[in-house]
Amino acid sequence: MTNTLLFRLDPAAPDAALIERAAAVLHDGGLVAFPTETVYGLGANATDAAAVSRIFAAKGRPASDPVIVHLYDLAQLEQVAANVPALAYDLARRFWPGPLTLVLRRAAVIPPNVSAGMDTVAVRMPNHPIPLALFSAAALPVAAPSANRFARPSATTAAHVLEDLGGRIDVVLDGGPAPIGLESTILDLTKPVPEVLRPGGIPLETLRELMPDVRLISRQLQPDEAGIEAPGMLLKHYSPHAEVLLFTRDTATVIACMQAAAQQRAEAGQRVGILTLDAEAAYFEHLPALLFRLGTDLPQFATNLFRGMRELDRQAADVILVHMVEPTGLGIAINDRLLRAAEGRIMEC
Ligand code: TXA
Ligand code: MG
């Protein structure tokens, strides 16, 4: 066990002395968790293979699952990636700092274990003052997966990080809740046609404006097929302990179906949880169920989704019911995370 230090920082003006201490931990090969605009990350010096291997140990993450390298300055791109295409610079200038991860050819300075032995590297620049200050103070590229135990919902607050990784990492920088709440969009530029390996914070429609031929790879791999593509595609991922039941059809049908399922599960002795948009909460209030309100629109749904899963787990829900959302904009990423949490199953209505 490690004594995990918690530093509270104001995102608008991160305390320089605490940032320096965290940067020194990165230099010494230690692990520092930090907020980003998407979810919390668990960082190590991306040029230090031993430090990177500590990330895998702390998370319980298989070595076959590569991690993203985070930058604070566009000039680092040619240091961590090789043969960077012009398209990568166009995308970086438009979307960085921001929730877009680019898969490129790996440069020699990045050790193979960052990328699970592959010759590619995933790179992004987070749009959050705390990691930008941290990386710049350390003057390092920082390898960082989401700061959760493997296959758990990503951490969107410092409390989630401590819940999963307290005693296993050196420092947590608490900068409040992560605003977007879902991970970055991953775009593979090493393929003949750009491929979205994971839908995320940058909507697909926005990428299509620049790259009309971009493809969304929505294969949902079984665990034994992992190690190829993005293992974030593993079907079971982002999972609460509770079983997740998904519903999709016209709203009236879905609501009737969810009400019936909640009743039936409760009568069978299960503790039922429901994650819902505020507008639909009234349909579920009379049921024997724990209600978690996600907010009024898709951005709020995204921000609160992982928090809701963790909160219902904390209240010992056996089963969590969710109405899937419209598959446009952030809705594509939301449905992707819901499907993974539900291991791909959708309820028949
Ligand atoms: O928003 C985010 O992307 C957050 C924050 C912390 O930056 N990070 C994050 O990391 O979600 P992680 O490790 O939980 O998910 C990264 C995904 C994994 O599914 C991994 O397979 C994929 O990125 N990935 C990393 N390197 C890759 C590579 N070289 N080729 C293909 N996929 C890669
Ligand atoms: Mg993750």
Side-chain angles (χ1 to χ4, degrees), residues 59 61 145-146 148 154 183 198 237-238:
K59 285 193 54 140
R61 176 168 170 134
S146 50
N148 50 280
S154 296
E183 304 83 352
R198 179 178 71 184
H237 214 95
Y238 314 109

Side-chain angles (χ1 to χ4, degrees), residues 12 38 44 87 93 100 177 179 184 188 288 320 329:
T38 58
L87 177 59
R93 272 188 219 100
L100 180 68
S184 61
D188 189 343
I320 299 176

Side-chain angles (χ1 to χ4, degrees), residues 76-272:
Q76 293 175 288
L77 192 52
E78 59 175 22
Q79 181 198 342
V80 302
N83 308 323
V84 180
L87 177 59
Y89 282 101
D90 291 346
L91 291 164
R93 272 188 219 100
R94 166 130 183 214
F95 295 107
W96 286 0
L100 180 68
T101 295
L102 301 176
V103 177
L104 301 165
R105 294 282 155 216
R106 181 167 56 86
V109 70
I110 300 298
N113 67 342
V114 168
S115 298
M118 297 187 293
D119 65 357
T120 57
V121 63
V123 187
R124 90 174 187 101
M125 189 188 295
N127 186 17
H128 196 293
I130 290 175
L132 292 176
L134 172 68
F135 308 161
S136 148
L140 286 173
V142 172
S146 50
N148 50 280
R149 290 281 289 178
F150 181 66
R152 292 278 298 148
S154 296
T156 58
T157 65
H160 296 163
V161 178
L162 287 173
E163 186 178 291
D164 279 20
L165 300 171
R168 311 178 70 92
I169 65 178
D170 300 296
V171 177
V172 179
L173 302 180
D174 182 353
I180 296 177
L182 292 182
E183 304 83 352
S184 61
T185 300
I186 301 179
L187 181 67
D188 189 343
L189 296 182
T190 68
K191 301 286 166 61
V193 174
E195 291 181 359
V196 171
L197 303 181
R198 179 178 71 184
I202 301 280
L204 205 58
E205 295 89 331
T206 309
L207 293 179
R208 285 229 166 86
E209 287 166 20
L210 277 124
M211 296 170 289
D213 56 348
V214 68
R215 297 200 299 154
L216 171 64
I217 304 301
S218 60
R219 260 167 300 176
Q220 305 210 315
L221 302 177
Q222 292 305 318
D224 57 334
E225 297 176 75
I228 47 176
E229 305 295 351
M233 287 181 171
L234 268 180
L235 203 49
K236 186 162 170 57
H237 214 95
Y238 314 109
S239 300
H241 298 303
E243 181 187 3
V244 175
L245 304 184
L246 300 182
F247 299 81
T248 177
R249 283 277 290 279
D250 60 285
T251 300
T253 305
V254 162
I255 284 167
C257 198
M258 285 175 70
Q259 288 170 331
Q263 284 289 0
Q264 191 201 333
R265 294 291 184 129
E267 277 158 28
Q270 288 195 323
R271 227 169 139 78
V272 179

